[in-house]
Amino acid sequence: CRTNADISLTWRQTMNKTLVLTAICADRPGLIQMLSEVIYKHEASWEESSMAHLAGQFAGILTLNVDENVIPALEKDLRGLADHGMSVTLNESADDTNAANQQTLWLDLTCHDKPGIMRQVSSVFVAQGVSVQSLDTEVVSASMSGGDMFVAGSQLLVPKGFDIDNLQQALEDLSDDLMVDLALADED
């Protein structure tokens, strides 16, 4: 017959945590396999991830679900990837307790490339209380004008009832050539 203490102890022994892992190193074949081998060795579950090749570097961020008892051994093995040139950080995820009161916006913006664009845009985000969920940027050649264009796509998180028109206007006020497209994400 099990006591409440036995049941409680068993539950604590198998408690899982969600961790956020970041990795960066010179890009070459086999990097994701190196990471996945270490993760698999510790019976962690690879969940969400985003990986990219930027300026010759591999950069990745992912979430893991893992038994909290194996975290020290997992951290040790991940630090061992430095011997292969990979820098890895591991952090415990933060609880998103306010998710029910938030909504997602999609933002696309384009303008002539110039220094300080992201500084200006991020200042508007801060002033408006906007959180960036994802951001992809690139500079592309403008075929008609011959100059370079800065292009950004972003998923934003804002409070429900947020004034989208106010954000649109604040972004458009940054520059005469800034084209802004904002859309509320479809609710599931």
Side-chain angles (χ1 to χ4, degrees):
C1 179
R2 293 179 114 182
T3 67
N4 285 342
D6 293 335
I7 294 169
S8 177
L9 181 60
T10 302
W11 178 79
R12 268 187 261 140
Q13 290 175 340
T14 61
M15 185 176 211
N16 281 9
K17 294 224 179 212
T18 299
L19 303 175
V20 178
L21 181 150
T22 60
I24 188 166
C25 69
D27 199 11
R28 63 182 184 276
L31 298 176
I32 292 174
Q33 193 222 3
M34 268 193 325
L35 274 172
S36 65
E37 288 291 336
V38 172
I39 292 165
Y40 177 77
K41 175 182 174 183
H42 297 284
E43 298 181 5
S45 175
W46 179 308
E47 295 183 343
E48 295 178 82
S49 65
S50 180
M51 310 284 166
H53 171 96
L54 298 169
Q57 295 288 307
F58 163 83
I61 185 167
L62 62 116
T63 59
L64 306 173
N65 187 296
V66 62
D67 182 327
E68 69 180 345
N69 293 319
V70 302
I71 292 174
L74 174 64
E75 287 178 314
K76 180 180 181 227
D77 286 351
L78 288 170
R79 278 192 307 273
L81 293 177
D83 295 341
H84 302 282
M86 185 179 291
S87 174
V88 178
T89 62
L90 197 61
N91 295 290
E92 192 168 331
S93 71
D95 290 333
D96 191 4
T97 57
N98 205 19
N101 297 324
Q102 297 179 328
Q103 59 188 1
T104 302
L105 296 178
W106 295 102
L107 167 69
D108 291 309
L109 63 88
T110 305
C111 65
H112 287 96
D113 186 38
K114 58 187 169 269
I117 297 167
M118 279 311 303
R119 181 182 158 279
Q120 292 176 318
V121 170
S122 63
S123 292
V124 169
F125 290 164
V126 169
Q128 300 261 336
V130 173
S131 178
V132 176
Q133 293 293 99
S134 67
L135 173 67
D136 294 307
T137 64
E138 64 180 325
V139 175
V140 297
S141 178
S143 58
M144 299 299 256
S145 68
D148 289 333
M149 300 297 290
F150 177 81
V151 178
S154 186
Q155 182 179 343
L156 308 174
L157 199 59
V158 298
K160 288 200 175 176
F162 181 81
D163 188 345
I164 297 168
D165 293 333
N166 192 33
L167 176 61
Q168 174 110 16
Q169 188 62 54
L171 289 168
E172 288 175 351
D173 287 347
L174 293 175
S175 176
D176 290 338
D177 73 331
L178 186 65
M179 293 178 285
V180 178
D181 183 24
L182 270 171
L184 187 60
D186 293 334
E187 305 265 340
D188 292 326

